[in-house]
């Protein structure tokens, strides 16, 4: 193939890809098939490249073609150019997908510890997103989103509560576990009410967590007697160990506490939290929310079973 004097036409990535395909496949037709283009399109790309460079980049070889010595050098240089081009385009694309402002997330401490930190870390490294993170109590997340102090929250679904104009969808379930000293744990007859006369460690009064536990016990026909109270699940477990008391704790918050064991009870005997992702409807329509939602949905079952793994470690 002959070349013309340089015309000043800028080369483009498609010309370099055509040159590399010809080198790999040894013919214009095979190169065209690999790139899903017509042979005439490949020939035109190569002619334009030769005209831009001012020298021939391919030559005939038997029934096929091969790269000229300068064409080989151009192909090697083209690999470097294409790698930098594709890296730059990918970087610009990711920057275009960044949120217009910092994303404010609220969540339960147990969600942060068990999996949400991992999600935020991935998004920061892959998309360049920036975040503000807040610890939220189960009952306050929805109000914070409505007031636009948060953009989204990993929250506990409150049964019967109307969350309009918010939108939400479920993430996973977090069942409670009863923990007790070994002697008490062995005395159960398979019913939570068997611990009616035991000392209990409960969350603070007038909190959502207190309502969940006391309300569940009331449905089973008894009211637990508080020997200690705390709004920190780990502190509750340490109190139970010290006072030889029992406590109901979300499985995601279980810690290996000396002097306590999980009590085997039917699922119907235990309360459960439905964990969901909540936000405002306009936020749910944004590209950056879609990225966050996708990362959360990629959580492996192993990460969501963190509570069960801790439970297994306590037995």
């Amino acid at each position: 193939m002959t070349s013309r004097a340089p015309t000043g036409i800028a080369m483009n990535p498609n010309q370099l890809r055509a040159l590399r395909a010809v080198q790999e496949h040894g013919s214009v037709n095979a190169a065209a098939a690999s790139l899903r283009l017509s042979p005439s399109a490949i020939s035109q790309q190569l002619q334009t490249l030769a005209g831009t460079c001012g020298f021939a980049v391919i030559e005939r070889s038997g029934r096929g073609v091969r790269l000229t010595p300068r064409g080989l050098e151009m192909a090697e240089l083209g690999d470097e150019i294409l790698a930098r081009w594709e890296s730059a385009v990918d970087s610009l694309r990711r920057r275009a997908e960044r949120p217009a402002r910092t994303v404010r997330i609220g969540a339960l401490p147990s969600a942060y510890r068990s999996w949400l930190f991992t999600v935020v870390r991935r998004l920061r490294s892959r998309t360049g997103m920036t975040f503000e993170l807040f610890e939220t109590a189960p009952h306050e997340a929805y109000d914070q989103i409505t007031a636009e102090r948060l953009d989204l929250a990993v929250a506990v679904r409150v049964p019967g509560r109307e969350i309009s104009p918010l939108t939400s969808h479920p993430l996973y379930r977090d069942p409670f576990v009863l923990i007790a000293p070994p002697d008490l744990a062995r005395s159960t007859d398979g019913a939570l009410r068997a611990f009616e006369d035991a000392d209990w460690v409960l969350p603070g009064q007038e909190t959502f967590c207190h309502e969940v536990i006391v309300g569940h016990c009331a449905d089973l026909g008894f009211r637990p007697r508080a020997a200690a109270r705390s709004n920190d699940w780990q502190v509750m477990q340490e109190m139970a160990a010290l006072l030889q008391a029992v406590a109901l704790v979300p499985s995601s918050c279980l810690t290996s506490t000396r002097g306590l064991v999980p009590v085997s009870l039917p699922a119907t005997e235990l309360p459960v939290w439905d964990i969901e992702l909540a936000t405002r409807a306009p936020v749910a329509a944004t590209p950056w929310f879609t990225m966050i939602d996708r990362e959360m949905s990629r959580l492996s079952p192993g990460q969501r079973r963190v509570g069960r793994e801790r439970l297994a470690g306590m037995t």
Side-chain angles (χ1 to χ4, degrees), residues 207-231:
T207 64
F208 172 76
C209 300
H210 180 268
E211 292 177 6
V212 169
I213 292 174
V214 173
H216 182 79
C217 292
D219 291 340
L220 296 178
F222 75 100
R223 182 176 182 84
R225 183 181 67 255
R229 293 186 182 273
S230 174
N231 291 328

Side-chain angles (χ1 to χ4, degrees), residues 18-244:
L19 183 65
R20 174 58 74 188
V22 168
Q23 181 187 23
E24 291 178 353
H25 298 283
S27 75
V28 171
N29 287 342
S34 70
L35 296 177
R36 297 184 180 181
L37 296 172
S38 66
S40 61
I42 294 294
S43 296
Q44 182 61 48
Q45 296 280 14
L46 296 174
Q47 289 173 7
T48 303
L49 179 60
T52 300
C53 297
F55 54 79
V57 294
I58 64 171
E59 60 187 8
R60 295 196 178 280
S61 175
R63 296 184 178 181
V65 294
R66 65 185 178 189
L67 272 58
T68 64
R70 288 187 176 179
L72 289 169
E73 292 181 30
M74 176 56 67
E76 184 176 348
L77 177 61
D79 288 343
E80 298 178 16
I81 294 173
L82 285 173
R84 294 189 64 181
W85 168 270
E86 291 168 356
S87 176
V89 170
D90 181 64
S91 176
L92 290 170
R93 182 181 296 114
R94 287 188 286 112
R95 286 168 57 187
E97 292 174 341
R98 290 182 185 179
R101 55 181 171 73
T102 298
V103 180
R104 299 163 299 177
I105 297 179
L108 307 167
S110 59
Y112 279 124
R113 283 194 297 266
S114 60
W115 60 273
L116 190 52
F117 282 141
T118 301
V119 171
V120 173
R121 196 174 294 114
R122 288 179 188 172
L123 290 167
R124 280 170 54 87
S125 63
R126 297 178 184 179
T127 70
M129 283 183 172
T130 57
F131 296 87
E132 290 180 359
L133 305 179
F134 301 89
E135 178 184 327
T136 53
H139 61 284
E140 67 181 5
Y142 301 100
D143 293 337
Q144 299 252 3
I145 297 173
T146 302
E148 300 189 10
R149 289 191 288 269
L150 294 176
D151 296 309
L152 55 95
V154 177
V156 178
R157 177 69 174 174
V158 181
R161 176 170 178 171
E162 177 60 48
I163 65 169
S164 179
L166 306 183
T167 181
S168 67
H169 68 78
L171 289 173
Y172 57 96
R173 308 199 83 195
D174 192 5
F176 279 66
V177 174
L178 181 71
I179 54 173
D183 290 343
L184 282 177
R186 287 191 291 268
S187 66
T188 179
D189 60 358
L192 186 62
R193 189 169 182 174
F195 298 89
E196 178 178 6
D197 296 328
D199 289 333
W200 283 70
V201 179
L202 297 173
Q205 288 182 309
E206 300 181 0
T207 64
F208 172 76
C209 300
H210 180 268
E211 292 177 6
V212 169
I213 292 174
V214 173
H216 182 79
C217 292
D219 291 340
L220 296 178
F222 75 100
R223 182 176 182 84
R225 183 181 67 255
R229 293 186 182 273
S230 174
N231 291 328
D232 184 307
W233 296 111
Q234 184 172 347
V235 171
M236 285 179 59
Q237 294 169 77
E238 293 171 358
M239 287 177 170
L242 178 64
L243 301 177
Q244 293 291 285

